[in-house]
Amino acid sequence: MDILGATLRVCVDDLETAVPFYERLAGGTALRFERGGVQVAAVGCFLLMSGPKEQLEVLRKVAATIAVDDVDTAHQVLSDLGAHIVAGPVASPAGRNLIAMHPDGMVYEYVDRRQ
């Protein structure tokens, strides 16, 4: 499994206010989408999320999003290392993903960028 990079997950109260700041900070334009009632803007290494409090509480439990070359390979490696696969692999707007809890209790999202 190759780790290609990581995305920092940021829950914000007002996505429209936050996006211009992060676009200038990261030097790019946000890719926006909605998933399960949560509005998302991906810009640079930041994944901004805004939505209902209950859903954001769940999202805050995921420490970071880790880009990998292949989610199926990540699933196998993580399982072999004793991680608990919480959800997935499933399709998402950014690629296929899964949520895994590492043996130390940290929770991460793994996503590939396959089209």
Side-chain angles (χ1 to χ4, degrees):
M1 168 180 76
D2 290 330
I3 294 177
L4 306 176
T7 301
L8 305 171
R9 300 165 63 92
V10 183
C11 294
V12 298
D13 291 330
D14 182 356
L15 195 64
E16 297 309 313
T17 300
V19 165
F21 172 83
Y22 283 94
E23 284 179 330
R24 293 210 43 203
L25 181 65
T29 302
L31 168 66
R32 295 174 183 238
F33 56 93
E34 184 268 333
R35 184 161 186 200
V38 174
Q39 298 300 310
V40 181
V43 58
C45 66
F46 300 99
L47 187 65
L48 309 175
M49 300 172 286
S50 183
K53 182 179 177 180
E54 303 79 31
Q55 290 177 303
L56 291 181
E57 287 305 315
V58 172
L59 294 172
R60 281 187 173 99
K61 294 177 182 176
V62 179
T65 298
I66 299 170
V68 295
D69 57 338
D70 179 59
V71 163
D72 293 324
T73 301
H75 184 278
Q76 186 63 52
V77 169
L78 289 162
S79 295
D80 290 349
L81 292 172
H84 169 66
I85 306 303
V86 177
V90 298
S92 78
R96 295 177 60 237
N97 74 340
L98 66 83
I99 306 293
M101 179 184 294
H102 292 188
D104 61 9
M106 294 298 296
V107 178
Y108 296 94
E109 174 187 36
Y110 288 82
V111 64
D112 63 29
R113 304 291 187 212
R114 292 190 288 179
Q115 299 297 321

